[in-house]
Amino acid sequence: MFEYFPTGPYTWNLGVVATLNSGGLIDEVDRACRPIKDAANAGEDTGTPDFLRAWRALTDQLAGQAEEAEKAGHTRTAGQLWSRASNYLAQAERMLSHADPNRVPTYRRMLEIAQKAFELHSPRVSRVEIPYEDTTLPAYFSAAPATDDGPAPVVVLVNGLDSTKEHMYASDHWAELAARGISCLMLDQPGTGEALRLQGLTARIDTEVWAGAAVDWLESRTDVDAARIGIVGWSLGGYYAPRAAAFEKRFALCVAWGANHDWGAVQRRRREREGERPVPHYWEHVLWVWGHDGDEDHLDAFLDFADAVNLDGVVEQITVPFLVAHGADDRQIPVAMAHRSYEQAVNSPKRELRVFTAEEGATEHIGLDHLSHVSTYIADWVADTFAEHQGARG
């Protein structure tokens, strides 16, 4: 993996490479990171305010340029600037401590910038609200051009531990799907993104509940082919999505974009400092996600809870096509977990394990070191599988 900070923390380097592989420009990223090289060496937790200041300054610069471009009537240029600004601020916000007073204001600014990007750069993407229990789940919906001619298949794309729907938008996976005739629902499910930050909705083990709410909403749309709704989850979504597909039988396919077969075991490894952590302020973040705020002094009890975030006895109940995509040298989640998910999915009519190697790239966590390579592979597999499903039903 390209590491901008050669002696700096993994979390910072992962953020930089994710930004670059989600449409960031090397010059802009370098200008943001150059002043904080010393801060990187101070440690991932200590330096996060410096990371935010540097990347927020870049975001503000691009926002100013975008506003000037809009005034001049250069809407395409403005849209590109707003889109990159969203990408940069999303990565900076991801690094912050839950307790940082900048977190919520930064996230609200992200929402404003993303809306600008949709209007001027991605008009087929819109904000939507999914009815869920006594509230709603925020999401972005990409209506593929194919919907102009009738109902189209759709993928529900779900987050991991620390990502947001704004990261999904920046990844351009929705655009790869759209080019193949597939719409995409980029969902901030409980425990992630806006649902966590602004609504206080924490993660749950029975992911089929919120996933079923997403399917209910999709089935109500006239532009959705209800027989071809798939679910794709990256990182911790490699637990969320397979669990949902196992028990919500309306899904037509499932992809674990980074296997997360036994998340509890990963937490026990991380407690012993085995393997890398995705974000600074790690345990504070994890406890916040799962609604265990303030339990830092009772980590053993939380780890006992985390053991239930496990796909043993679950993937056996997946009865639709199932793809497991994983990096051979993933420093967060051992590749052995990808083999476990694949080997236990014995009732899937079409199961595939794709391990990306260092020679081809995309060998790191969810392929962030070569994100487009994994994204297009998954998009092709989804398109082929939906086409097979269409052929089977005549």
Side-chain angles (χ1 to χ4, degrees), residues 109-368:
R109 177 67 170 147
M110 280 170 56
L111 294 177
E112 295 170 359
I113 291 174
Q115 190 59 45
K116 285 282 193 180
F118 301 159
E119 294 168 1
L120 300 177
H121 181 269
S122 311
R124 300 193 72 98
V125 177
S126 60
R127 179 186 174 86
V128 298
E129 303 284 344
I130 311 301
Y132 166 72
E133 297 188 338
D134 59 352
T135 183
T136 58
L137 297 176
Y140 298 144
F141 185 73
S142 160
T147 59
D148 293 345
D149 300 318
V154 63
V155 159
V156 180
L157 184 59
V158 300
N159 285 306
L161 180 72
D162 54 274
S163 61
T164 68
K165 61 188 182 304
E166 290 74 36
H167 293 108
M168 297 178 189
Y169 171 68
S171 78
D172 255 5
H173 187 62
W174 60 271
E176 292 296 334
L177 293 169
R180 293 161 174 80
I182 303 164
S183 297
C184 183
L185 180 68
M186 295 167 266
L187 182 65
D188 273 345
Q189 76 270 16
T192 71
E194 186 178 345
L196 176 66
R197 287 155 176 76
L198 302 187
Q199 296 174 247
L201 299 175
T202 55
R204 55 190 301 170
I205 289 173
D206 53 349
T207 65
E208 62 274 13
V209 178
W210 52 255
V215 176
D216 290 342
W217 182 83
L218 289 167
E219 287 184 335
S220 73
R221 295 181 63 100
T222 59
D223 59 355
V224 168
D225 180 350
R228 292 190 292 168
I229 299 173
I231 186 165
V232 177
W234 62 25
S235 195
L236 184 52
Y239 164 81
Y240 292 142
R243 164 82 195 209
F247 298 112
E248 174 46 78
K249 294 301 183 180
R250 289 175 291 175
F251 285 116
L253 59 79
C254 177
V255 179
W257 187 338
N260 222 315
H261 191 95
D262 186 349
W263 189 75
V266 172
Q267 303 323 295
R268 293 182 183 279
R269 291 178 69 245
R270 286 176 181 166
R271 191 185 193 190
E272 301 303 320
R273 298 300 305 186
E274 297 174 7
E276 296 288 358
R277 302 172 177 185
V279 288
H281 317 283
Y282 181 72
W283 290 112
E284 177 189 306
H285 184 88
V286 166
L287 295 170
W288 175 43
V289 165
W290 288 98
H292 289 249
D293 285 25
D295 282 359
E296 286 89 348
D297 294 333
H298 305 284
L299 199 53
D300 286 336
F302 175 77
L303 291 174
D304 290 341
F305 163 83
D307 286 338
V309 186
N310 189 308
L311 292 174
D312 286 342
V314 174
V315 286
E316 290 91 336
Q317 301 187 59
I318 295 176
T319 53
V320 294
F322 181 42
L323 169 66
V324 181
H326 204 90
D329 297 322
D330 187 331
R331 286 183 266 177
Q332 293 187 40
I333 310 295
V335 69
M337 291 203 179
H339 290 275
R340 282 175 65 182
S341 286
Y342 171 76
E343 289 163 3
Q344 292 180 21
V346 292
N347 292 309
S348 167
K350 175 188 175 182
R351 58 176 172 159
E352 180 177 337
L353 172 63
R354 178 65 164 88
V355 176
F356 295 86
T357 66
E359 290 74 22
E360 63 182 311
T363 189
E364 287 281 353
H365 186 59
I366 69 169
L368 283 172

